[in-house]
């Protein structure tokens, strides 16, 4: 890898994320409603909408093959997405691992297996219903859904993956959606975060800190603080 996960232009990030340890410059849109983080290569872009409601898109991550090309993949998280999930996402991006994806390659069984392995290891229920493949927690309060139809149209960046939590998958408390070519390593990290919170996996022994529930916690406190105005938009 080229180490590109280490150099960003972005507003100051609140919350325990590896992006805090990158070399940062402040980057703002003309509006106080959003803040953008843009990698120095200009091929990865994060947008934070500050006042998004719990069910509206608050975070958007978009990856590009070149600074002037169309999107390779896009991921979106709603306003109620909890801090542990956002931390996992931002840490993954900051580490710079798994950014690359095979352009034009179909989403195959190997990619799906890699993205969902943590859920399978945790014993989540696996069902197939037409175009939908689903992994659901034993309690039924969280899941991951793969849309095989959307995966067949990768150039359209349709919502192919949906990670959700709440009492009803049709009206989740929070959700993260991702297009077909979202790196399987990133999706696997999100799956791992979900799987650990079910309590079915062996607890971590790194310290006494209590885990934040992904299913009952309030909206995440990871936000982008205000900074000097510098225009860039995509």
């Amino acid at each position: 890898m080229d180490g590109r996960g280490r150099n960003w232009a972005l507003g100051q990030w609140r919350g325990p994320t590896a992006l805090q340890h990158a070399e940062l410059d402040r980057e703002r849109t003309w509006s106080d409603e959003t803040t953008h983080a843009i990698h120095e290569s200009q091929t990865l872009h994060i947008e934070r909408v500050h006042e998004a409601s719990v069910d509206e898109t608050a975070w958007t991550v978009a990856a590009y093959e070149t600074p002037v090309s169309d999107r390779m993949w896009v991921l979106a998280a709603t306003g109620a997405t909890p801090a542990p999930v956002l931390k996992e996402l931002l840490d993954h991006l900051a580490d710079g691992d798994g950014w690359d994806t095979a352009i034009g390659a179909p989403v195959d069984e190997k990619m799906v297996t890699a993205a969902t392995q943590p859920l399978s290891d945790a014993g989540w229920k696996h069902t197939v219903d037409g175009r939908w493949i689903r992994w659901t927690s034993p309690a039924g309060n969280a899941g991951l859904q793969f849309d095989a139809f959307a995966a067949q149209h990768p150039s359209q960046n349709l919502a192919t993956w949906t990670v959700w939590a709440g009492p009803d998958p049709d009206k989740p408390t929070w959700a993260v959606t991702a297009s077909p070519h979202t790196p399987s390593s990133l999706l696997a990290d999100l799956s791992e975060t979900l799987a650990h919170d079910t309590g079915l996996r062996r607890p971590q022994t790194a310290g006494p800190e209590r885990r934040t529930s992904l299913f009952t916690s309030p909206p995440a406190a990871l936000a982008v603080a205000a900074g000097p105005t510098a225009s860039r938009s995509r």
Side-chain angles (χ1 to χ4, degrees), residues 30 42 87 91 180 230:
W30 289 109
Q42 297 187 32
K87 180 182 183 301
D91 282 352

Side-chain angles (χ1 to χ4, degrees), residues 80-178:
T81 304
V85 176
L86 292 175
K87 180 182 183 301
E88 190 64 53
L89 169 63
L90 298 177
D91 282 352
H92 184 102
L93 297 175
D95 288 340
D97 296 328
W99 284 21
D100 297 327
T101 186
I103 304 301
V107 180
D108 56 20
E109 182 178 356
K110 181 179 179 180
M111 294 174 63
V112 174
T113 299
T116 60
Q117 192 64 52
L119 303 181
S120 299
D121 292 345
W124 284 38
K125 183 180 180 181
H126 176 209
T127 59
V128 179
D129 181 12
R131 62 190 276 186
W132 313 105
I133 304 176
R134 299 183 177 98
W135 290 259
T136 308
S137 68
N141 61 351
L144 184 149
Q145 177 174 275
F146 173 74
D147 184 345
F149 175 81
Q152 296 173 10
H153 302 82
S155 63
Q156 299 180 25
N157 279 323
L158 301 175
T160 301
W161 300 91
T162 302
V163 180
W164 62 273
D168 185 345
D170 293 326
K171 295 182 179 180
T173 301
W174 62 266
V176 175
T177 58

Side-chain angles (χ1 to χ4, degrees), residues 15 28 31 46 50 70-71 93-94 151 174 183-184 211 225 232 234:
R28 290 297 306 271
S31 170
I46 303 173
H50 299 289
D70 293 332
R71 288 177 175 179
L93 297 175
W174 62 266
S184 57
R211 292 187 60 86
R232 185 192 189 280
R234 280 192 75 86

Side-chain angles (χ1 to χ4, degrees), residues 140-232:
N141 61 351
L144 184 149
Q145 177 174 275
F146 173 74
D147 184 345
F149 175 81
Q152 296 173 10
H153 302 82
S155 63
Q156 299 180 25
N157 279 323
L158 301 175
T160 301
W161 300 91
T162 302
V163 180
W164 62 273
D168 185 345
D170 293 326
K171 295 182 179 180
T173 301
W174 62 266
V176 175
T177 58
S179 64
H181 287 311
T182 302
S184 57
S185 58
L186 172 55
L187 294 166
D189 281 352
L190 296 178
S191 295
E192 185 81 13
T193 302
L194 283 180
H196 272 294
D197 201 73
T198 65
L200 296 180
R201 300 176 67 86
R202 286 182 295 180
Q204 296 177 329
T205 58
E209 181 179 353
R210 184 177 180 181
R211 292 187 60 86
T212 302
S213 172
L214 303 184
F215 313 123
T216 60
S217 61
L222 294 176
V224 182
T229 298
S231 175
R232 185 192 189 280

